[in-house]
Amino acid sequence: MYLEINGNAVNEPVSDELIEKTVYSFTGEGDSFMILLVDEMTYMQASGDPRSGFVLEYQDGSLEQHYYCADSDISAGKITDAFRSYLAQDDKWRKKYHWKREYAEANAGAGIVKYLILLCIAAILAFVAWKYINSV
């Protein structure tokens, strides 16, 4: 795994100490985000600062598998624990927090749109068939 801080790759091995130091260094001014990556599509990320709190997200291989932590009051300690657990590749972080799928919420209306399009196509086909039958 590798760590990016404010969009810049860190050139040292990721450790528990580096994670904690990074989380507590954020001031909330300018960029304050970190991403712990397995690859470009699999990662955990957080933004915020210790004073105001954080936003925590992870992605598991595709945009359709992007989740955010729905827990309130995500402290620097919780971010540190989550990132350490992710680094250790255990599943404690998955179970400890309440995750909501971001993709599903962003695209919740997509199913309705597809249904309406299919309904319109069916109506057009029924009308064409009716016109054909009545013209013969």
Side-chain angles (χ1 to χ4, degrees):
M1 283 191 212
Y2 59 101
L3 184 66
E4 289 184 2
I5 301 172
N6 299 329
N8 299 310
V10 174
N11 293 325
E12 63 182 275
V14 183
S15 65
D16 288 349
E17 294 77 22
L18 177 60
I19 289 170
E20 183 173 7
K21 181 177 88 173
T22 301
V23 170
Y24 284 94
S25 73
F26 291 139
T27 63
E29 296 177 16
D31 290 336
S32 292
F33 68 93
M34 61 190 284
I35 308 171
L36 183 56
L37 300 100
V38 174
D39 58 51
E40 287 190 21
M41 299 302 284
T42 307
Y43 55 83
M44 177 176 280
Q45 65 184 9
S47 63
D49 66 83
R51 193 172 20 92
S52 304
F54 288 85
V55 173
L56 178 62
E57 301 176 349
Y58 81 92
Q59 184 166 294
D60 202 9
S62 71
L63 294 174
E64 292 81 14
Q65 298 298 317
H66 193 103
Y67 299 85
Y68 68 93
C69 182
D71 298 347
S72 59
D73 299 323
I74 304 173
S75 67
K78 289 180 180 178
I79 294 297
T80 301
D81 290 344
F83 270 72
R84 285 176 171 171
S85 177
Y86 193 79
L87 178 64
Q89 298 179 335
D90 63 36
D91 275 348
K92 292 177 186 174
W93 63 272
R94 286 186 195 265
K95 298 170 186 155
K96 193 170 185 175
Y97 304 101
H98 182 241
W99 299 99
K100 287 193 175 183
R101 191 169 169 193
E102 193 167 275
Y103 181 83
E105 290 184 10
N107 293 300
I112 294 169
V113 171
K114 289 178 185 174
Y115 172 77
L116 290 174
I117 290 170
L118 289 174
L119 186 61
C120 288
I121 291 170
I124 291 168
L125 290 174
F127 177 75
V128 169
W130 177 78
K131 287 290 267 180
Y132 177 77
I133 291 171
N134 287 328
S135 67
V136 177

